[in-house]
């Protein structure tokens, strides 16, 4: 809705140049009389007072909305129109610089003159002229401005109620506006989270139907999967937040919000008062006890954000809210009829936004600074006023609006089965067929990797283990007391033991591996053999966005990434992963990483072409896994294992080469292979010590220690935040 007094606009209505006015006059009468009806329960004194600078007297709202029609519709479009009183332009202009000087806003409550009766006469004068204008078809431009004026007046209807409540809350008598005045009510269904896939979606107002200028244009946004709470946060939940120290614990608050808590002494939503050891609240129906099931209202953005932090959730972005309101509306309650919902989005222009032409262009654009967007609608919003693209906006500290909270969270991650399927479809469908190496590691693949580790040709495991055995005490000196050892791709957790034995100060072991079988077996034996150690295994993909965030608590963290598994990532991806690991390990994080070093081609290729054919079986198992899990029809005897040294890129490549041209089915698709074509299954980058140090530096690490094994050379780096 509005900047404190007023609100926004854009072009509207019918395409024809001349618009029949009949339906417009009906609407005009309805909206105008609704404003007068809102004022009816109020005395002349109620209507004249102003409780704060952000609020206005009822009387002023009634006059200003008439001024809007007089200024933007009647003066330019009704020949011979005589303004009611030339002084009113100064008194009732809200903020339109283009329309000249105006009475200062904070002093609107001092306007005892003109009287309420004279303002009603002003409205009658304007209404009569509007009836005259609308007695015949009118120009489209005039019709557009009338529709805008009506939307504007509806915004002021909501402001009248907000402002009156604020005024009454300042009265020791706590007056009742109306026994049946609008107030939020409870949701019908229990809370759930509605998963939304997101992707490339459209938001914003398109062509057709009225929308304010700030809602346009309709445009594309990219949304990660997310979930929206099915209803608003309740008073009962807010009481739990308060009981948990919500208003006394700075850790939930944005810095500016915490300053407000301290400077304004916030300890509950606006209009809540202490009452006999508990709380009561003031609504348009007067003072009442807190309904625990009704949505909380009159909270600032700062409070909404603090609540979300406490609840382990977040506020939805504007685009998430709007897309959900269009895509999954049936699953969401209280969308637009209880309380406006704070979003995490700043109020700025949509891409391609153009302010409405003329003075009404001041309606929205100039307020696009320092405010946050609210979506939905409230119990005090006139029915039919808002829509999903509607953009209400207020400053983050403001609370007198009927503003509440709908929580959101990131979407559930796609299941490993879904991701495997998607990777296989994409990889086998590509011009150069490829499959991600991480899918090697089902139970059979993990067992085959263990067998590889024992092969005479596969030197990395042996060399790294022998090196770690020697250097573990040196490494241990860098591990803080009480540390959590976070291991990525822990497999059988054998090398881990060398670290754990040398560093008994490690309190927690948090291995992460994509292979459930390898992880659970390894975690069980580690827990058995290190009874004092807390073991928190996590099955997951450490490259996924939330791969291992949240895996560890507040203890100092030490990362352990042995085996040269980082070599299975292309250099840029390796930098990205190491950078993210740095963030996740936190300030002061220590990172121990194993790197296989570049060496002669014969040694390298032998390590991936062992005489017993174990590596070949490991490679082919990927096709076997597709057969087992995705209904694949691969005949493994149609493929040959190939491992070659790619000198240019500094990597050993593994491929599966088709022995004949044929088709296969997998994941419900058909794929063709021609004889000799390969599926590229793995890269193992080999680095020089300097080359890897450079990579680590690009990821924000500094080398605090490095050790190299005898030939065939394998290195261990100890990294710290740069
Ligand atoms: N660290 C052990 C095992 C290395 S094998 C060692 O040094 O001997 C690579 C391990 O990483 C396997 O256990 C595999 O399941 C795991 N892995 C590979 N890609 C992964 C990913 N993206 N996320 C999590 N684990 C992964
Ligand atoms: C886990 N990773 C570092 C191994 C490697 O050497 O690239 C996987 C492997 N591939 C074939 N043999 C071993």
């Amino acid at each position: 809705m509005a900047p404190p007094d007023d609100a926004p606009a854009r072009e509207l209505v019918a395409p024809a140049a001349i618009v029949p006015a009949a339906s417009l006059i009906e609407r005009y009468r309805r909206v105008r009389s609704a404003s007068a009806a809102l004022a009816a329960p109020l005395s002349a004194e109620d209507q004249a007072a102003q409780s704060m600078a952000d609020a206005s007297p009822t009387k002023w709202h009634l006059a200003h909305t008439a001024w809007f029609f007089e200024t933007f519709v009647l003066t330019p479009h009704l020949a011979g129109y005589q303004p009611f009183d030339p002084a009113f332009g100064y008194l009732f202009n809200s903020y339109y610089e283009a329309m000249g000087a105006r009475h200062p806003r904070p002093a609107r409550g001092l306007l005892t003159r003109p009287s309420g009766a004279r303002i009603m006469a002003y409205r009658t004068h304007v209404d009569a002229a509007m009836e005259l204008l609308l007695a015949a078809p009118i120009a489209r431009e005039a019709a557009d401005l009338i529709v805008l004026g009506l939307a504007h007046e509806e915004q002021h209807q909501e402001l009248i109620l907000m402002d009156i409540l604020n005024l009454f809350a300042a009265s020791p008598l706590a007056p009742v506006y109306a026994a049946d005045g609008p107030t939020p009510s409870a949701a019908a269904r229990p809370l759930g989270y509605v998963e939304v896939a997101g992707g490339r979606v459209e938001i914003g107002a398109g062509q057709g139907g009225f929308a304010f200028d700030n809602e346009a244009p309709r445009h594309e946004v990219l949304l990660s999967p997310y979930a929206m709470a099915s209803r608003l946060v309740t008073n009962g939940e807010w009481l739990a937040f308060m009981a948990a120290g919500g208003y006394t614990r700075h850790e939930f608050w944005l810095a500016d919000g915490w300053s407000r808590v301290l400077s304004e002494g916030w300890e509950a939503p606006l209009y809540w008062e202490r009452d006999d050891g508990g709380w009561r609240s003031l609504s348009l129906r007067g003072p009442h006890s807190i309904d625990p099931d009704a949505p909380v209202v009159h909270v600032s953005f700062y409070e909404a954000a603090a609540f979300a932090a406490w609840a382990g959730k977040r506020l939805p972005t504007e685009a998430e809210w709007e897309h959900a309101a269009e895509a999954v509306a049936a699953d969401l309650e209280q969308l637009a009829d209880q309380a406006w919902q704070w979003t995490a989005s700043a109020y700025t222009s949509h891409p391609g936004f153009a302010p409405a032409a003329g003075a009404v262009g001041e309606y929205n654009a100039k307020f696009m600074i320092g405010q946050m967007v609210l979506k939905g609608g409230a119990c005090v919003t006139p029915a039919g006023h808002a829509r999903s693209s509607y953009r209400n906006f207020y400053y983050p500290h403001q609370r007198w609006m009927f503003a509440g909270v709908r929580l959101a969270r990131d979407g559930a991650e796609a299941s490993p089965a879904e991701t495997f399927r998607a990777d296989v479809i994409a990889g086998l469908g590509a011009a150069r067929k490829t499959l991600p190496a991480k899918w090697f590691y089902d139970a059979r693949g993990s067992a085959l990797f263990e067998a590889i580790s024992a092969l005479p040709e596969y030197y990395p495991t042996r060399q790294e283990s022998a090196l770690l055995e020697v250097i573990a005490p040196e490494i241990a000196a860098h591990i803080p007391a009480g540390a959590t050892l976070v291991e990525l791709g822990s497999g059988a957790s054998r090398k881990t033991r060398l670290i754990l034995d040398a560093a008994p100060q490690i309190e927690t072991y948090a291995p992460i591996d994509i292979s459930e079988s390898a992880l659970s077996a390894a975690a069980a034996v580690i827990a058995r053999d290190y009874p004092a150690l807390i073991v928190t295994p996590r099955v997951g993909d450490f490259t996924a966005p939330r791969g291992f965030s949240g895996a560890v608590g507040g203890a100092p963290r030490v990362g352990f990434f042995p085996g040269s598994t980082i070599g299975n990532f292309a250099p840029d991806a390796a930098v990205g992963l190491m950078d993210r690991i740095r963030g996740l390990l936190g300030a002061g994080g220590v990172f121990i990483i194993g790197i296989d070093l570049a060496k002669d081609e014969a040694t390298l290729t032998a390590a991936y072409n062992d005489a017993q054919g174990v590596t070949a079986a490991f490679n082919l198992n990927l096709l076997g896994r597709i057969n087992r899990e995705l209904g694949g029809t691969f005949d493994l005897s149609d493929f040959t294992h190939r491992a070659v040294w790619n000198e240019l890129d500094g990597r050993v490549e593994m491929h599966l080469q088709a022995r004949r041209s044929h088709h296969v089915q997998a994941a419900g698709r058909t794929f063709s292979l021609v004889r000799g074509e390969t599926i590229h299954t793995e890269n193992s980058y080999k680095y020089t010590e300097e080359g890897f140090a450079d990579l680590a530096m690009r990821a924000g690490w500094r080398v605090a220690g490095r050790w190299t094994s005898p030939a065939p050379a394998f290195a261990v780096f100890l990294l710290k935040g740069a």
Side-chain angles (χ1 to χ4, degrees):
M1 158 163 332
D5 346 281
D6 227 337
R10 139 196 148 158
E11 87 276 8
L12 359 139
V13 207
I18 300 295
V19 178
S23 62
L24 217 45
I25 190 69
E26 288 297 312
R27 236 197 103 202
Y28 178 86
R29 288 177 189 144
R30 256 198 329 273
V31 172
R32 296 283 287 174
S33 58
S35 303
L38 286 175
L42 302 171
S43 70
E45 291 82 358
D46 293 335
Q47 295 191 41
Q50 179 179 27
S51 57
M52 61 168 176
D54 285 340
S56 299
T58 303
K59 181 172 131 171
W60 187 91
H61 287 298
L62 293 174
H64 165 72
T65 45
W67 170 87
F68 192 96
F69 284 109
E70 177 170 84
T71 308
F72 297 121
V73 178
L74 294 171
T75 303
H77 294 285
L78 182 64
Y81 176 76
Q82 288 299 316
F84 179 75
D85 183 330
F88 282 15
Y90 177 82
L91 292 179
F92 300 122
N93 173 3
S94 51
Y95 53 64
Y96 295 88
E97 300 290 346
M99 304 316 292
R102 69 213 75 97
H103 182 67
R105 201 171 95 176
R108 287 175 187 163
L110 304 179
L111 295 175
T112 56
R113 306 290 173 88
S115 67
R118 186 157 166 76
I119 284 171
M120 291 319 282
Y122 180 34
R123 286 180 70 85
T124 305
H125 173 87
V126 165
D127 289 347
M130 288 295 294
E131 293 275 346
L132 203 61
L133 177 69
L134 288 168
I138 53 166
R140 175 164 180 205
E141 191 197 341
D144 288 351
L145 287 163
I146 294 168
V147 175
L148 173 64
L150 294 173
H152 167 254
E153 182 135 355
E154 286 178 339
Q155 293 182 319
H156 280 274
Q157 289 168 1
E158 180 165 339
L159 287 161
I160 286 172
L161 294 173
M162 286 161 54
D163 294 356
I164 276 296
L165 179 58
N166 195 261
L167 179 69
F168 284 1
S171 163
L173 300 178
V176 174
Y177 167 74
D180 61 349
T183 195
S185 53
R189 300 193 296 263
L191 175 66
Y193 275 81
V194 181
E195 297 285 345
V196 188
R200 284 169 70 143
V201 305
E202 287 190 350
I203 64 158
Q207 301 301 312
F210 170 75
F212 289 114
D213 57 0
N214 61 0
E215 299 169 56
R218 195 151 178 89
H219 61 281
E220 225 176 38
V221 295
L222 183 63
L223 298 181
S224 297
Y226 65 104
M228 292 282 275
S230 60
R231 61 152 172 80
L232 305 187
V233 169
T234 63
N235 287 321
E237 289 162 344
W238 203 270
L239 283 163
F241 167 63
M242 288 161 59
Y247 285 92
T248 55
R249 291 169 58 185
H250 66 85
E251 62 266 37
F252 303 134
W253 294 80
L254 294 163
D256 290 359
W258 186 240
S259 298
R260 286 276 168 178
V261 170
L262 298 180
S263 65
E264 303 198 0
W266 287 351
E267 46 178 11
L270 185 64
Y271 307 139
W272 285 34
E273 300 169 345
R274 288 190 184 275
D275 178 39
D276 200 15
W279 293 89
R280 67 170 196 169
S281 176
L282 188 80
S283 75
L284 291 165
R285 298 180 184 185
H288 55 82
S289 55
I290 305 285
D291 174 357
D293 298 323
V296 70
V297 275
H298 303 299
V299 291
S300 62
F301 170 81
Y302 294 136
E303 289 163 290
F307 181 92
W310 169 75
K313 300 286 190 302
R314 60 176 175 78
L315 299 178
T317 64
E318 177 181 12
E320 286 173 336
W321 192 101
E322 188 168 330
H323 173 63
E326 292 178 3
V328 294
D331 298 327
L332 301 173
E333 280 190 273
Q334 304 178 320
L335 255 183
D337 55 352
Q338 301 298 323
W340 292 98
Q341 295 140 57
W342 285 109
T343 71
S345 301
Y347 176 54
T348 59
S349 56
H350 284 336
F353 164 74
V360 290
E362 287 187 54
Y363 210 132
N364 280 306
K366 71 183 188 184
F367 298 107
M368 290 177 175
I369 178 71
Q371 309 204 45
M372 302 303 287
V373 172
L374 299 96
K375 302 291 276 186
C379 56
V380 286
T381 310
H385 174 71
R387 61 210 141 254
S388 58
S389 60
Y390 199 99
R391 313 183 74 197
N392 203 344
F393 49 92
Y394 281 97
Y395 291 99
H397 66 276
Q398 290 178 313
R399 317 208 285 171
W400 96 111
M401 323 72 77
F402 285 69
V405 187
R406 184 185 299 274
L407 294 175
R409 60 165 169 73
D410 294 343
E413 283 179 44
S415 70
E418 286 164 343
T419 318
F420 183 36
R421 188 184 139 79
D423 282 355
V424 166
I425 290 172
L428 296 184
R432 302 179 76 149
K433 292 186 174 54
T434 175
L435 291 168
K438 65 186 176 192
W439 299 118
F440 281 139
Y441 303 95
D442 64 353
R444 215 173 288 194
S446 291
L448 283 165
F449 178 78
E450 283 310 296
I452 289 174
S453 296
L455 291 170
E457 297 93 334
Y458 194 73
Y459 62 86
T461 307
R462 226 175 8 263
Q463 297 302 81
E464 186 181 28
S465 298
L467 180 60
L468 279 173
E469 191 143 13
V470 175
I471 65 173
E474 270 183 81
I475 289 176
H478 293 268
I479 298 179
T484 296
L485 186 72
V486 182
E487 181 170 355
L488 293 93
S490 44
S493 295
R494 281 191 223 290
K495 295 164 189 167
T496 320
R497 291 167 178 269
L498 302 170
I499 304 290
L500 292 175
D501 290 344
Q505 70 270 34
I506 294 172
E507 262 177 20
T508 305
Y509 175 49
I512 296 140
D513 202 291
I514 200 166
S515 172
E516 181 158 18
S517 60
L519 184 74
S520 56
V525 292
I526 291 283
R528 184 198 62 201
D529 295 349
Y530 296 83
L533 191 69
I534 301 164
V535 182
T536 58
R538 176 163 160 151
V539 179
D541 179 348
F542 53 63
T543 63
R546 282 170 289 140
F548 73 98
S549 59
V552 286
R557 296 163 198 175
V558 175
F560 185 41
F561 198 9
S564 201
T565 301
I566 193 72
N568 296 133
F569 296 86
D572 283 348
V575 169
L577 181 57
M578 289 197 292
D579 191 22
R580 208 163 58 84
I581 290 168
R582 193 170 49 79
L584 293 168
L585 293 177
V590 175
F591 190 27
I592 306 152
I593 184 165
I595 302 298
D596 192 15
L597 297 176
K599 51 186 62 70
D600 65 284
E601 183 172 348
T603 306
L604 287 172
T605 51
Y608 293 82
N609 285 296
D610 64 280
Q612 297 168 56
V614 182
T615 310
F618 175 71
N619 198 3
L620 285 160
N621 176 57
L622 187 44
L623 302 185
R625 183 177 187 183
I626 295 173
N627 288 349
R628 290 189 293 275
E629 296 181 21
L630 297 174
T633 60
F634 283 105
D635 181 343
L636 272 49
S637 65
D638 281 336
F639 292 87
T640 309
H641 163 72
R642 295 263 179 253
V644 292
W645 171 241
N646 176 336
E647 173 77 45
L648 194 65
D649 293 320
R651 67 194 193 200
V652 175
E653 294 181 2
M654 290 210 312
H655 294 257
L656 291 163
Q657 186 168 37
R659 291 176 196 246
R660 62 177 184 94
S661 297
H662 65 292
H663 302 293
V664 289
Q665 259 90 53
R669 312 282 166 107
T670 303
F671 302 99
S672 317
L673 289 124
V674 294
R675 187 163 168 264
E677 180 181 1
T678 75
I679 304 170
H680 187 168
T681 51
E682 189 186 63
N683 291 315
S684 270
Y685 284 83
K686 308 297 171 184
Y687 291 102
T688 61
E689 287 191 49
E690 289 322 307
F692 179 73
D694 188 50
L695 212 65
M697 213 176 64
R698 280 171 58 201
W701 291 106
R702 135 183 99 76
V703 177
R706 76 164 88 158
W707 301 267
T708 309
S709 77
F714 193 100
V716 170
F717 283 75
L718 190 135
L719 307 177
K720 294 190 174 176

